[in-house]
Structures are given as C-alpha cells and as structure tokens.
C-alpha cells in the first residue's frame, strides 16, 4: 500500500520510505506547531499552511509543494437526434384548380381550392379513380407505368370550397411509392362530383376503357388507407 507526503505531493511505496523522507528531506527540516485539524483535500491543507499564522515561518522553508492536478473526465459531444421524414402517401394538386374551374363555369358554378388537407371538417367526400402515369422515384430503378385506377378522394367544404387527395402507387420492381402525373381525368372527375353535390344534372365523364391488368391493392396507397373504390366506373 503506497503512502503519500501531503506537503511534497509525493507517493512512496511504504510507510518506512515515507518516514525516511520526512527525516531526510530539507522540506521537513523545520519546526511547526500542529493544529490537530483534518482537511478534506490537499488543496485545503496547502491553503491552511500558507495562510495560518502558526505555520507562516514553517511554510517559508518549503521548497516544493505539488498539488496533484484534478483529472477531467473526457467530454463527448452528443449528436442531435434527427427524426426521419414521413413517407408521403398522397398529394393534392392546387395547380389543376384552373382546369376544374373551367369545367364548373359551364354550369355557372364557382368553387375555390381549399389547401388544408383536412378530413374532419369536410361536408362531403367521395372515393373514385382517375388515370395517369407513374415514373419510379428510386434512382436505381427505371420503371414507368400507366394506371387507370389511381385512387382519389374528392372533398367538399363549407363556403364553396373543395380539394382532392390523390394517392400514390408503389413500383412492382422495387416497391418505392411514387407520385402520379395526372391527365385530364382529374379535372373531369372532380368537376363532375362537385356538380352532382350542387344538384346539377350532368352526364358522367367519358372513360376510355378498362384497365389492362388487375388492381394490386398491396401497391396502392389508397387501398391501404381505405379510400380506393377499385371500380373504374364508380363515379
């Protein structure tokens, strides 16, 4: 067990070596009066020896007094946590409002696009399908496909406002969800539904035919959200 000389700040392998140091070291060749006090640290003891009047003469004889430096714990910077962005499953298309408004004006109807994507405050909502084209957004995939069963939810709000949520489809190859490029069927379906809600007698818009393949619900975000009619002619 090692012994320490508090005055000199030195460690010794045994108590005998410490006692020999106290006998032989010039730093201990002086008389001083003990105070019979205990200190919690070497720093507190050194300050006492330096400032107390009873030790003033004795302290002058000290040639060295080393206080062991305090070890600092290494600090590690914590990286700020970043939440992953949620994967988009649908979009709204306010840029197509002009096409919808042109069709509504034929029957003297005027609606404004409501940009808040809100399910709770709508007066009416209706699920149907439109047509469009997809290009996979995965840079490592080059898949392109067309669909006549793109799920869409049309919603009407108070004060003659509306919007429509168009759902994405996932690529068959890599399962990446992609946003569609819409054709004229979007404006026709939205305008038709708004006219129906407004009490206008109107013929259903022309549809170019059935889909060439089966509707794959596992690739349709509308199906996953419970808003896909799966019936192309379900106007």
């Amino acid at each position: 067990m090692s012994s320490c000389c508090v005055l000199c700040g030195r460690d010794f392998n045994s108590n005998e070596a410490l006692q020999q140091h106290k006998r032989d070291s010039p730093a201990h060749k002086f008389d001083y009066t003990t105070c019979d006090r205990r200190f919690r640290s070497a720093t507190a003891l050194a300050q006492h020896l330096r400032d107390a009047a009873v030790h003033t003469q004795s302290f002058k004889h000290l040639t060295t007094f080393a206080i062991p430096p305090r070890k600092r714990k290494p600090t590690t910077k914590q990286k700020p946590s970043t939440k992953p962005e949620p994967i988009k499953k649908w979009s709204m298309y306010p840029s197509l409002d002009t096409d919808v408004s042109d069709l509504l004006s034929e029957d003297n109807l005027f609606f404004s696009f409501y940009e808040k994507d809100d399910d709770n405050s709508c007066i009416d909502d209706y699920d149907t399908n439109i047509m469009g084209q997809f290009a996979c957004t995965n840079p490592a995939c080059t898949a392109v496909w067309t669909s006549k069963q793109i799920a869409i939810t049309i919603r009407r709000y108070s004060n003659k406002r509306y919007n429509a949520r168009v759902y994405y489809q996932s690529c068959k190859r890599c399962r990446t969800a992609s946003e569609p490029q819409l054709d004229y069927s979007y404006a026709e379906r939205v305008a038709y539904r708004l006219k129906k809600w407004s009490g206008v007698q109107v013929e259903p818009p022309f549809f170019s035919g059935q889909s060439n393949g089966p509707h794959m619900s596992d690739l349709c975000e509308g199906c996953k959200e419970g808003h896909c009619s799966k019936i192309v002619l379900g106007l």
Side-chain angles (χ1 to χ4, degrees):
M1 181 176 180
S2 62
S3 301
C4 175
C5 177
V6 178
L7 291 178
C8 299
R10 294 180 57 186
D11 292 325
F12 297 90
N13 294 330
S14 64
N15 187 54
E16 289 78 7
L18 172 62
Q19 297 303 323
Q20 182 178 355
H21 162 74
K22 289 182 177 181
R23 288 194 307 270
D24 301 338
S25 175
H28 296 280
K29 298 297 183 179
F30 57 86
D31 295 328
Y32 64 92
T33 305
T34 60
C35 299
D36 194 21
R37 293 180 58 185
R38 295 179 180 273
F39 299 91
R40 294 185 177 181
S41 65
T43 303
L45 173 60
Q47 183 176 356
H48 168 74
L49 292 174
R50 184 179 64 248
D51 299 337
V54 69
H55 297 297
T56 302
Q57 295 300 323
S58 300
F59 190 80
K60 292 180 180 179
H61 293 279
L62 293 177
T63 56
T64 59
F65 189 84
I67 300 175
R70 180 181 297 178
K71 294 183 179 180
R72 295 184 178 180
K73 295 181 179 180
T75 57
T76 56
K77 294 183 178 180
Q78 294 183 351
K79 296 182 179 180
S81 58
T82 56
K83 295 182 179 180
E85 295 184 1
I87 299 175
K88 292 189 66 176
K89 298 180 179 181
W90 60 76
S91 289
M92 298 198 303
Y93 295 82
S95 60
L96 299 179
D97 176 58
T98 301
D99 297 336
V100 176
S101 297
D102 289 343
L103 294 174
L104 292 175
S105 64
E106 296 174 356
D107 292 283
N108 295 320
L109 292 177
F110 302 94
F111 280 79
S112 60
F113 189 88
Y114 185 43
E115 296 196 8
K116 185 177 181 181
D117 190 359
D118 182 16
D119 270 334
N120 298 321
S121 62
C122 63
I123 300 173
D124 296 298
D125 64 90
Y126 191 83
D127 296 331
T128 184
N129 299 91
I130 57 176
M131 298 179 291
Q133 186 178 45
F134 292 86
C136 184
T137 55
N138 181 359
C141 183
T142 58
V144 176
W145 69 97
T146 59
S147 176
K148 295 179 180 179
Q149 291 186 337
I150 301 174
I152 176 175
T153 299
I154 305 169
R155 298 177 293 197
R156 180 168 68 120
Y157 300 86
S158 61
N159 300 321
K160 290 188 175 297
R161 297 173 299 169
Y162 83 96
N163 62 31
R165 179 189 286 177
V166 180
Y167 295 91
Y168 293 5
Q169 289 184 5
S170 295
C171 175
K172 290 182 181 180
R173 295 180 184 175
C174 66
R175 302 285 170 164
T176 300
S178 299
E179 180 180 358
Q181 298 294 321
L182 305 180
D183 63 8
Y184 62 91
S185 63
Y186 169 87
E188 289 184 341
R189 291 294 171 88
V190 173
Y192 171 80
R193 184 50 48 187
L194 293 175
K195 290 179 181 182
K196 291 277 287 185
W197 282 332
S198 300
V200 177
Q201 298 296 323
V202 59
E203 291 293 328
F206 172 76
F207 185 71
S208 61
Q210 297 289 335
S211 175
N212 294 328
H215 184 69
M216 302 180 68
S217 297
D218 59 326
L219 301 178
C220 173
E221 295 299 333
C223 288
K224 296 176 184 178
E225 295 294 321
H227 285 285
C228 181
S229 66
K230 300 183 185 179
I231 303 175
V232 177
L233 296 178
L235 301 171

